[in-house]
Amino acid sequence: MRKFIFLLLVMIHSIYAESQVLTNDTVVCIIDTIKSYVEFIENPIQRDNYQISAHWQIGIDGHYYDHVSYTKDIAYIGFMAGLWRGNLRDISGFTKKKKVLKKGLTERFIVVDDEWINQQTSLRHLKNKLGIAPFDKYNYIIFSQDYDCADSDSVTMHRVEIGYSEVQY
């Protein structure tokens, strides 16, 4: 009986540990909203009969379905911000915005840009690098106008949720 209880406790602990946020996995995407494959939408989920908090979405066209002619136009990665009101259930330390120094950004975080995202042809590779959900990795956006500004030594990172358009085969 003791072995059974011990085994049960080990299983519960391992499941709990696997579901925790990996604090050292922070992905920062530098986004230029002027590029043709990047789309910035303000308040995409606004309805006539109720108002929700201000939010925005950035969509990046992808190429991970180019090998399948009838679905190649739906490859799309979305970053959504502002719907959580500062909290995500079961995730502590969620911050909507963070000011960080530009110096050492690439050493501290995984940094990618919109062009890299657009050019990827493997959905698996994208998910491994960027994560698949808020509990997988912390995802932040830095706007390139802020990043390229020579007058400032810091940038504002905006916390986002990530989503992919996928076709199940």
Side-chain angles (χ1 to χ4, degrees):
M1 183 67 169
R2 288 183 186 179
K3 289 181 182 179
F4 176 74
I5 291 173
F6 177 75
L7 181 63
L8 184 64
L9 289 173
V10 168
M11 288 175 45
I12 290 171
H13 176 71
S14 67
I15 290 170
Y16 181 75
E18 288 293 320
S19 67
Q20 294 301 305
V21 174
L22 302 172
T23 56
N24 60 351
D25 281 350
T26 300
V27 181
V28 177
C29 300
I30 300 171
I31 304 294
D32 185 352
T33 56
I34 298 171
K35 293 185 177 170
S36 62
Y37 51 83
V38 177
E39 180 181 24
F40 178 84
I41 306 168
E42 205 164 344
N43 298 323
I45 307 178
Q46 206 65 305
R47 304 284 190 257
D48 292 336
N49 54 352
Y50 67 93
Q51 298 293 329
I52 58 178
S53 60
H55 58 286
W56 48 268
Q57 175 181 323
I58 292 176
I60 300 175
D61 290 330
H63 291 284
Y64 51 87
Y65 286 136
D66 282 359
H67 62 285
V68 183
S69 62
Y70 65 91
T71 58
K72 72 177 187 175
D73 294 333
I74 68 162
Y76 184 84
I77 298 173
F79 297 101
M80 180 74 80
L83 290 178
W84 325 270
R85 299 181 187 191
N87 296 317
L88 283 176
R89 197 178 77 221
D90 300 329
I91 295 180
S92 62
F94 181 88
T95 307
K96 289 193 271 185
K97 291 182 184 181
K98 234 185 223 191
K99 270 261 202 232
V100 295
L101 292 175
K102 289 181 193 177
K103 184 177 182 180
L105 192 69
T106 55
E107 289 83 22
R108 292 175 57 201
F109 308 114
I110 299 167
V111 178
V112 297
D113 63 7
D114 49 23
E115 183 175 0
W116 180 87
I117 293 170
N118 173 259
Q119 295 303 314
Q120 297 307 302
T121 57
S122 167
L123 185 58
R124 177 175 289 152
H125 185 63
L126 279 164
K127 286 182 174 183
N128 286 342
K129 184 89 166 192
L130 303 177
I132 57 171
F135 54 81
D136 185 25
K137 295 188 181 185
Y138 291 100
N139 292 99
Y140 286 90
I141 294 290
I142 295 176
F143 292 102
S144 65
Q145 296 84 345
D146 187 21
Y147 186 73
D148 295 335
C149 179
D151 297 334
S152 176
D153 64 346
S154 62
V155 290
T156 302
M157 296 184 355
H158 304 271
R159 179 78 154 99
V160 292
E161 280 189 76
I162 191 168
Y164 303 88
S165 58
E166 295 184 59
V167 175
Q168 299 296 321
Y169 292 105

